[in-house]
Amino acid sequence: MLKLLNLLKDGRFHSGEALGAALGVSRSAVWKQLQHLETELNLTIHKVRGRGYQLAAPLALLESQAINEFAEGEQWPVFIHETIDSTNAEGLRLASEGQPAPFLVLAERQSAGRGRRGRQWVSPFAENLYYSLVLRVEGGMRQLEGLSLVVGLAVMRTLQGFGVKDVGLKWPNDVLVRGQKITGILLELVGDPADVCHVVLGIGINVNMQANDQVDQEWTSMRREVGTAIDRNRLVAKLSQQLQHELARHRRYGFAAFQEEWEQAHLWQGRNVSLVAGSTRIDGVVLGVDGQGGLRLEVEGVEKSFSGGELSLRLRDDS
């Protein structure tokens, strides 16, 4: 199927005979694969008698060579999948099989993409970025403190570099544009966090998606914001470069070095919020974050810090 996509991705017409010859299959087999592309990947293919088949729009696929051409600094091994359950899950599998870290897992589509608290992450084919960086972490919990917040800063700066305006952060790991979600971050860990472990930095960015009725919250995309299609291979290279820079700072200085700049980028600084954990709700005012990346709230006149992967932060109606 990927070979057929590569033949069609230029957006021009290709005859069934030419496609069959290139793939070494019959025209009827080509027809079946075209139907599969439409139903499985939700791609629109025009069929015109005498001219052949044409994708409704040209398709730019992720390619290791193209990513490397844009890359600066260290180049991580990259595994690119046409379809996978989730890039985070594949990263964890590869780490357990002994693949040396750091390495990168990308996919054109996820069949079971995940967000925080078990939510589905909608993953249309070849439109967005589904990116998982696997790191080997030594030296205990300090290397993990505030890590998702550092990743958020790296994503924000990458988006700004592509011309996305009004971008900011929401604790603990969302990137928003004027209150609309453009990026989600999901960190997963395997091993002993007090000794040696692997952590997967999962990043989902809405890149070229312009319409989708499956997303259950306000969202935007890079293309919506800047008005033109984004080269996802260049985005992978620039995001990796930014992550290398920020992760090196984090390893050397810890999250405390990022605390002030993260607070400056936090869109809900000083806002009245509710912090929800299961059936428990705590109302307070956002003061910022602490040196470990925990949320600082003023609760009934007292400053308290909160951290944990299952916490949800929501604006109060009176904010």
Side-chain angles (χ1 to χ4, degrees):
M1 193 168 67
L2 199 54
K3 288 182 179 178
L4 180 57
L5 268 178
N6 275 303
L7 293 170
L8 292 170
K9 68 181 183 180
D10 58 9
R12 298 174 181 172
F13 277 103
H14 298 266
S15 71
E17 184 178 359
L19 292 172
L23 296 172
V25 299
S26 66
R27 291 179 65 177
S28 62
V30 169
W31 171 247
K32 288 179 181 176
Q33 285 201 40
L34 289 167
Q35 288 180 308
H36 186 63
L37 288 180
E38 287 192 299
T39 56
E40 290 295 312
L41 304 184
N42 200 31
L43 296 172
T44 301
I45 300 174
H46 299 312
K47 311 165 192 68
V48 178
R49 185 179 295 275
R51 299 192 69 187
Y53 307 97
Q54 176 195 47
L55 281 177
L59 203 60
L61 299 176
L62 294 168
E63 298 176 8
S64 298
Q65 183 177 344
I67 294 168
N68 290 337
E69 287 173 359
F70 288 116
E72 298 177 27
E74 181 185 357
Q75 294 183 22
W76 295 315
V78 57
F79 299 88
I80 300 175
H81 297 267
E82 173 197 307
T83 298
I84 203 166
D85 52 355
S86 92
T87 55
N88 266 27
E90 177 65 5
L92 291 169
R93 285 191 291 265
L94 287 172
S96 70
E97 293 166 5
Q99 171 62 38
F103 63 89
L104 190 57
V105 180
L106 308 173
E108 296 290 4
R109 182 182 69 150
Q110 298 181 120
S111 59
R114 307 190 307 281
R116 291 182 66 240
R117 304 191 307 282
R119 285 181 172 175
Q120 178 195 19
W121 186 267
V122 177
S123 308
F125 183 82
E127 290 188 354
N128 298 329
L129 187 61
Y130 320 117
Y131 175 115
S132 293
L133 173 62
V134 182
L135 304 173
R136 187 175 189 268
V137 177
E138 301 180 39
M141 291 298 293
R142 182 177 179 276
Q143 295 298 321
L144 300 172
E145 288 174 351
L147 189 56
S148 68
L149 280 66
V150 172
V151 173
L153 270 174
V155 172
M156 183 188 77
R157 290 185 174 131
T158 302
L159 297 183
Q160 289 171 334
F162 278 80
V164 180
K165 294 182 170 55
D166 303 319
V167 58
L169 304 173
K170 173 199 161 191
W171 188 90
N173 47 15
D174 285 344
V175 184
L176 308 177
V177 176
R178 297 183 308 280
Q180 302 169 99
K181 190 164 182 175
I182 195 168
T183 299
I185 297 162
L186 177 65
L187 268 61
E188 296 185 275
L189 183 147
V190 62
D192 182 357
D195 185 18
V196 177
C197 64
H198 283 88
V199 61
V200 184
L201 313 181
I203 301 169
I205 302 178
N206 296 332
V207 183
N208 291 318
M209 186 165 69
Q210 298 191 81
N212 197 302
D213 56 9
Q214 292 181 278
V215 184
D216 62 358
Q217 58 186 303
E218 289 293 312
W219 64 273
T220 188
S221 68
M222 296 177 70
R223 183 168 184 171
R224 277 186 171 185
E225 294 303 317
V226 302
T228 58
I230 302 297
D231 185 327
R232 292 180 304 138
N233 290 303
R234 179 168 173 258
L235 176 60
V236 170
K238 296 303 181 185
L239 175 58
S240 297
Q241 181 183 345
Q242 192 70 50
L243 280 167
Q244 285 175 26
H245 175 71
E246 306 301 355
L247 291 172
R249 282 181 65 205
H250 183 259
R251 282 193 298 271
R252 185 169 183 181
Y253 302 111
F255 179 72
F258 296 84
Q259 183 177 350
E260 182 178 347
E261 57 195 284
W262 198 94
E263 289 179 342
Q264 290 174 353
H266 193 207
L267 297 169
W268 290 8
Q269 201 76 0
R271 305 290 293 275
N272 297 320
V273 298
S274 295
L275 189 64
V276 180
S279 59
T280 303
R281 168 178 153 165
I282 299 167
D283 292 338
V285 179
V286 177
L287 298 176
V289 290
D290 61 25
Q292 291 75 48
L295 181 71
R296 295 188 298 119
L297 288 184
E298 181 183 313
V299 181
E300 296 178 347
V302 178
E303 179 178 326
K304 297 183 178 181
S305 287
F306 301 88
S307 61
E310 299 305 311
L311 296 175
S312 175
L313 189 65
R314 303 170 186 170
L315 281 178
R316 290 219 311 268
D317 293 339
D318 57 351
S319 181

